[in-house]
Amino acid sequence: MENALFEYLLRLGDDSLILGHRLSEWCGHGPVLEEDIALTNLSLDLIGQATSIFDYAGKVEGKGRSEDDLAFLRFDKDYRNLLLVERPNVDFGVTIMRQFLFDAYRKPLFERLVHSSDEMIAAIAAKSLKETKYHLRHSSEWVIRLGDGTEESHNRIQDALNELWKYAAEIFYEDAVDAELKANGVLPDMDSLKSDWDTIVHAVLEEATLTIPDNNWKQEGGRKGLHTEHLGFILAELQYMQRAYPNMEW
Amino acid sequence: MKEFNIDELNRKFQEKIDNDIKIEPKDWMPDDYRQTLIRQISQHAHSEVVGMLPEGNWITRAPNLRRKAVLLAKVQDEAGHGLYLYSAVETLGADREQTIDDLHSGKAKYSSIFNYPTLTWADMGAVGWLVDGAAIMNQVPLCRCSYGPYARAMVRVCKEESFHQRQGFEIMMKLAAGTPEQKAMAQDALNRFWWPALMMFGPNDAESKHTQQSMDWKIKRHTNDELRQQMVDITVPQAEMIGLTIPDPDLKWNEETGHYEYGEIDWDEFWQVVKGNGPCNKDRIDARRKAKEDGLWVRQAANAHAEKRRARNAKKAS
């Protein structure tokens, strides 16, 4: 596999970038000012993670691409994020459920990556883990609040769960990239990742009085560059300046 | 309990003001003083929150990761300012939700500058440089405002605004030193924001109905025209330094006074925008109203859940 590490970094970085983008769409429109600030905080953390990851990815690739080149100047098929994170915000319920399903994966993921044989990944994971712990606490609390709030909020957050469940399955997509990185210790001890995620998700959903959907279909594609229709519009905004005014400093 | 008559209370109040002793929430204060502060601080809070929209407009389109992060952090700061200003309003006995409803109904005002659109990336520079620049000019003296909670909130706000102003100027500087297209983009932004930024200080002193009373109460320390002059004097050399032209053919340095003279402000435009005829008044208020309406079920859920929790805990305890 040619440059499995680069490919893996794109998966990690694109998840952060695209979810960070989605959350930034909330800025100025949150349900209360406190949540406006909280969602922007999440976005800032994720954009920061993407920056460090792409910076390193550019070095690993060795073609002289900067973090901005990787963030702004690829075509849709070259983005490797989960379909989950490009799903539209819709309302606060969908946004929070999307965040929760993602945080419940990223926290145990970073807990493992801090032991990576790759020192840069270990360092990025250590910093990101601190942030992600807070993110998970925030999204878990809101899932519980909305699930165990009013009838309307319960229905909305249950609908969000039903809607997003099949996308969550892609979190555990694996291919030759993972196999190679596991073999050389870049990805240590990934076997129990899914069961950690299950434990977190079940505990929170139970407290939130929500029901896990019985739909077991896995909607995959993002990790291979096959996206939903939404990514094109995200990129149209994200890349606008870099495409309209190429090769300029900002 | 010792009884005070109203004249005695007024005398003691003015004595504190005259001796630069801060008025605190539990102190007696004249109704007019309280109402003036409620009006001014809630307008200020609304300006911070409405002000998130024109800049929020460019977050998803920021040209690189660093600019995106800085802009996000800046707009987030404005939300924070809104929060502690609403808290300051609450210390005066006003209800935060009511003041927000007053904004949405058009009863309460906010800074008119936010009714202008942000059309290009350079507007992020112009807004930071000029709008936050003017805001600092207005707010630094408010750190010495006679009302304690407002003065203290302003100390923190001003620190952050000064970072905002610098990041805006830095965007402009970079553009002005960039390609001809970038420089033109910067000049265009300056052309559009210069006059509205000068209008931010409010009507000329002769037209300003609140100034004198506010100065007697030491809520306000300088007149609108004094602050506006200060803004012009500081900003003109900055524009020159980065090679941009202030869009005012009447602008000239007056050796005798040591100030710049500047052209006539279009007060008709100012009052039209205040009255609701600015390019974005409706969009801004619609966006804020929508945020509140769309968030209603979320706030209800949070309250309902908190209530259930309390009930469950009480049951456990008994």
Side-chain angles (χ1 to χ4, degrees):
Chain A
M1 174 95 206
E2 199 188 322
N3 224 340
L5 180 56
F6 176 66
E7 180 72 16
Y8 188 78
L9 288 168
L10 290 186
R11 294 176 182 181
L12 214 51
D14 286 341
D15 280 350
S16 295
L17 176 70
I18 301 300
L19 187 56
H21 181 97
R22 277 294 187 218
L23 289 164
S24 78
E25 294 172 350
W26 272 103
C27 190
H29 307 280
V32 282
L33 267 180
E34 288 83 346
E35 269 318 292
D36 214 301
I37 291 171
L39 293 174
T40 309
N41 244 340
L42 302 180
S43 176
L44 263 171
D45 286 344
L46 289 165
I47 299 292
Q49 290 170 11
T51 305
S52 319
I53 295 166
F54 290 145
D55 175 60
Y56 181 44
K59 289 178 179 124
V60 167
E61 188 195 30
K63 291 183 182 167
R65 288 205 276 183
S66 70
E67 67 272 29
D68 287 326
D69 293 336
L70 287 172
F72 295 91
L73 292 171
R74 283 177 289 150
F75 290 102
D76 60 331
K77 286 206 165 171
D78 303 322
Y79 283 80
R80 294 288 183 261
N81 58 280
L82 297 166
L83 299 181
L84 175 71
V85 299
E86 70 195 46
R87 298 301 302 163
N89 292 336
V90 186
D91 67 7
F92 187 71
V94 172
T95 297
I96 282 297
M97 184 54 77
R98 183 184 64 198
Q99 191 67 38
F100 169 66
L101 296 171
F102 181 74
D103 294 339
Y105 145 68
R106 289 278 271 214
K107 178 176 169 275
L109 175 70
F110 286 135
E111 280 168 349
R112 285 162 175 77
L113 291 184
V114 294
H115 304 297
S116 172
S117 63
D118 184 298
E119 282 179 19
M120 268 307 289
I121 289 192
I124 291 168
K127 181 170 180 292
S128 306
L129 178 59
K130 282 185 203 148
E131 297 164 349
T132 307
K133 279 180 181 168
Y134 161 75
H135 298 180
L136 177 61
R137 202 178 74 199
H138 174 260
S139 58
S140 301
E141 284 172 359
W142 270 110
V143 167
I144 293 164
R145 245 177 237 132
L146 297 177
D148 186 40
T150 62
E151 192 186 341
E152 180 183 7
S153 71
H154 178 87
N155 291 340
R156 280 186 187 243
I157 194 80
Q158 181 68 55
D159 287 348
L161 177 63
N162 298 347
E163 186 65 31
L164 294 173
W165 190 246
K166 66 174 187 267
Y167 296 103
E170 192 185 12
I171 286 172
F172 303 102
Y173 168 86
E174 282 195 10
D175 59 16
V177 170
D178 304 80
E180 183 179 328
L181 297 177
K182 278 181 186 175
N184 59 25
V186 172
L187 299 184
D189 178 33
M190 290 294 165
D191 297 345
S192 55
L193 185 64
K194 169 101 170 65
S195 72
D196 279 10
W197 183 83
D198 280 335
T199 307
I200 297 168
V201 167
H202 283 256
V204 171
L205 294 183
E206 191 185 318
E207 197 180 341
T209 72
L210 297 174
T211 313
I212 291 186
D214 47 21
N215 180 0
N216 284 326
W217 173 243
K218 288 185 187 182
Q219 183 65 56
E220 294 179 341
R223 291 290 189 234
K224 288 174 282 193
L226 208 57
H227 291 275
T228 66
E229 290 179 348
H230 301 287
L231 186 71
F233 290 96
I234 291 176
L235 298 184
E237 283 190 42
L238 179 74
Q239 300 187 343
Y240 165 66
M241 290 296 291
Q242 289 281 345
R243 298 289 184 193
Y245 303 92
N247 303 317
M248 296 183 198
E249 301 265 320
W250 302 96
Chain B
M1 197 177 137
K2 201 174 163 188
E3 291 220 357
F4 289 100
N5 68 34
I6 193 86
D7 291 339
E8 175 68 4
L9 288 167
N10 260 318
R11 194 189 58 73
K12 284 198 174 282
F13 169 80
Q14 194 59 47
E15 197 176 275
K16 277 191 196 161
I17 299 272
D18 294 342
N19 291 316
D20 284 326
I21 295 169
K22 294 269 181 272
I23 307 299
E24 296 299 335
K26 286 181 177 161
D27 295 348
W28 185 89
M29 62 188 89
D31 276 350
D32 289 350
Y33 178 82
R34 187 185 298 275
Q35 291 313 319
T36 298
L37 280 168
I38 290 176
R39 180 179 53 81
Q40 180 170 339
I41 303 174
S42 61
Q43 269 186 24
H44 191 164
H46 301 329
S47 300
E48 298 284 358
V49 174
V50 175
M52 295 169 72
L53 298 170
E55 287 181 288
N57 187 34
W58 277 87
I59 290 172
T60 58
R61 290 176 292 172
N64 61 36
L65 292 166
R66 178 175 161 262
R67 293 289 181 202
K68 190 186 288 287
V70 172
L71 185 60
L72 265 166
K74 177 188 190 281
V75 181
Q76 186 190 38
D77 282 349
E78 314 292 4
H81 298 173
L83 266 188
Y84 26 94
L85 287 164
Y86 283 125
S87 303
V89 177
E90 284 178 325
T91 65
L92 291 157
D95 175 55
R96 170 171 151 182
E97 291 312 310
Q98 183 57 50
T99 61
I100 291 172
D101 288 339
D102 287 347
L103 168 71
H104 296 175
S105 72
K107 193 177 153 205
K109 301 290 180 212
Y110 55 93
S111 183
S112 269
I113 191 82
F114 302 120
N115 293 316
Y116 290 86
T118 53
L119 303 176
T120 70
W121 171 252
D123 291 6
M124 297 304 96
V127 168
W129 176 33
L130 303 174
V131 176
D132 292 86
I136 294 171
M137 229 64 91
N138 263 327
Q139 290 168 12
V140 166
L142 288 174
C143 298
R144 294 186 296 127
C145 159
S146 58
Y147 187 58
Y150 193 28
R152 288 188 290 273
M154 279 305 105
V155 172
R156 183 159 167 199
V157 168
C158 282
K159 277 185 198 155
E160 293 178 346
E161 295 292 0
S162 129
F163 147 73
H164 299 168
Q165 194 270 349
R166 280 203 305 272
Q167 69 89 33
F169 186 65
E170 203 220 323
I171 289 175
M172 291 302 258
M173 199 159 65
K174 191 92 184 171
L175 292 174
T179 65
E181 270 168 301
Q182 286 175 304
K183 188 169 181 182
M185 196 191 279
Q187 182 63 54
D188 167 66
L190 173 57
N191 293 350
R192 282 180 291 109
F193 277 96
W194 173 252
W195 291 107
L198 293 192
M199 292 175 197
M200 281 176 72
F201 297 94
N204 284 331
D205 293 349
E207 309 289 323
S208 176
K209 56 180 178 178
H210 301 299
T211 295
Q212 193 50 52
Q213 179 62 80
S214 284
M215 289 187 70
D216 292 346
W217 279 330
K218 294 190 182 172
I219 294 173
K220 217 169 158 164
R221 299 277 183 161
H222 305 283
T223 71
N224 296 351
D225 287 330
E226 284 167 6
L227 291 166
R228 188 166 14 245
Q229 185 65 54
Q230 201 185 339
M231 171 79 184
V232 173
D233 289 346
I234 287 179
T235 312
V236 172
Q238 292 174 343
E240 281 170 0
M241 191 177 100
I242 58 175
L244 296 180
T245 309
I246 302 284
D248 179 358
D250 298 323
L251 186 80
K252 59 172 184 285
W253 175 250
N254 183 324
E255 198 68 53
E256 264 172 49
T257 60
H259 293 292
Y260 283 94
E261 290 172 4
Y262 53 94
E264 186 60 30
I265 288 171
D266 184 349
W267 292 112
D268 187 36
E269 176 180 322
F270 173 78
W271 288 115
Q272 286 297 333
V273 178
V274 169
K275 271 188 265 176
N277 286 328
C280 300
N281 297 54
K282 183 171 188 305
D283 295 347
R284 301 296 185 234
I285 291 302
D286 284 354
R288 289 312 309 161
R289 210 183 278 145
K290 184 173 188 304
K292 183 163 182 182
E293 285 165 8
D294 289 354
L296 178 64
W297 70 273
V298 177
R299 298 189 300 274
Q300 286 172 338
N303 290 336
H305 176 68
E307 197 48 54
K308 284 184 190 176
R309 259 196 127 102
R310 248 192 308 276
R312 278 197 293 260
N313 288 342
K315 207 172 166 188
K316 255 186 248 164
S318 66

